[in-house]
Amino acid sequence: MCVVIIGIAGASASGKSVLAKNVIKGFSSDQVVMMSEDSYYKDQRNLSKAQRNLTNYDHPDAMDHQLMAQHLTQLSAGQTIQQPVYSFHEHLREASTVKMKPCKVLIVEGILLFTQAHLRDLFDLRIFMDVPLDICLIRRLERDVNERGRDLQSVLGQYQATVRPGFFNHVSPSREYADLIVPEGGENPAAIELLQARVAQMLTQA
């Protein structure tokens, strides 16, 4: 089976996953599937919880991009993979995995997808979310406190220490590799319509 792979990168909480979810609406699950780069944070079972809390999760070194590239290559070859499951609360990979079968179009979202050549070269279409950082911070606060069990002070501390510097050092420079820039976030109706039409076209060619 031929797999077309679309990458969506951008700042944390810029609307990457929202855009991906909006695009895949209307397509069957055996045709279009979504994957998150977050699943590929490196396992840190050899570190204490206190040490794991100090890890810079906004640096490419925090990601197991080698495994991710391997899995994308396997999916492209028609092979089923066992995708890692990551716990944001514990900063660990869980013992269980999720079986992912090949599909016709795979949409991958993540902040650091385009930072390394061996990974970004696997994408047939590269999209970058262009959203002001103050909007991203507000969204990140709401998400991490309400959905990931974080407290306000820890979210703000991490943002100042690693998230904002990581954006300027790694995420923003990777914008130059994008084929399409999407402003306003994942609810941008023009972008959704454009990408749905592109995915439909890809499905006829896959």
Side-chain angles (χ1 to χ4, degrees), residues 11-136:
S12 174
S14 59
K16 301 178 297 298
S17 62
V18 173
L19 179 63
K21 290 174 183 176
N22 281 328
V23 170
I24 66 177
K25 290 178 181 177
F27 298 104
S28 65
S29 59
D30 64 325
Q31 290 181 313
V32 185
V33 175
M34 175 180 161
M35 173 190 283
S36 176
E37 183 187 34
D38 289 348
S39 299
Y40 290 87
Y41 275 113
K42 291 178 179 176
D43 193 18
Q44 302 182 102
R45 205 164 297 277
N46 59 320
L47 301 178
S48 67
K49 180 67 180 299
Q51 290 173 314
R52 297 196 298 270
N53 288 340
L54 296 176
T55 298
N56 182 353
Y57 295 99
D58 296 274
H59 191 285
D61 287 348
M63 294 291 183
D64 193 347
H65 280 159
Q66 197 68 37
L67 177 62
M68 190 178 199
Q70 177 186 324
H71 279 178
L72 293 179
T73 301
Q74 289 176 308
L75 288 169
S76 294
Q79 301 173 16
T80 297
I81 65 165
Q82 295 294 332
Q83 184 180 9
V85 177
Y86 187 78
S87 168
F88 286 96
H89 181 68
E90 297 295 332
H91 297 307
L92 289 173
R93 281 187 194 167
E94 297 182 4
S96 61
T97 57
V98 174
K99 180 186 290 187
M100 179 176 285
K101 297 180 180 180
C103 58
K104 290 187 176 180
V105 177
L106 177 64
I107 301 179
V108 187
E109 63 85 18
I111 62 174
L112 298 163
L113 293 179
F114 306 155
T115 60
Q116 295 176 309
H118 73 94
L119 183 61
R120 67 171 174 263
D121 288 347
L122 296 175
F123 297 107
D124 299 286
L125 177 64
R126 294 187 288 264
I127 300 164
F128 191 91
M129 306 297 291
D130 185 16
V131 179
L133 285 187
D134 58 340
I135 300 299
C136 293

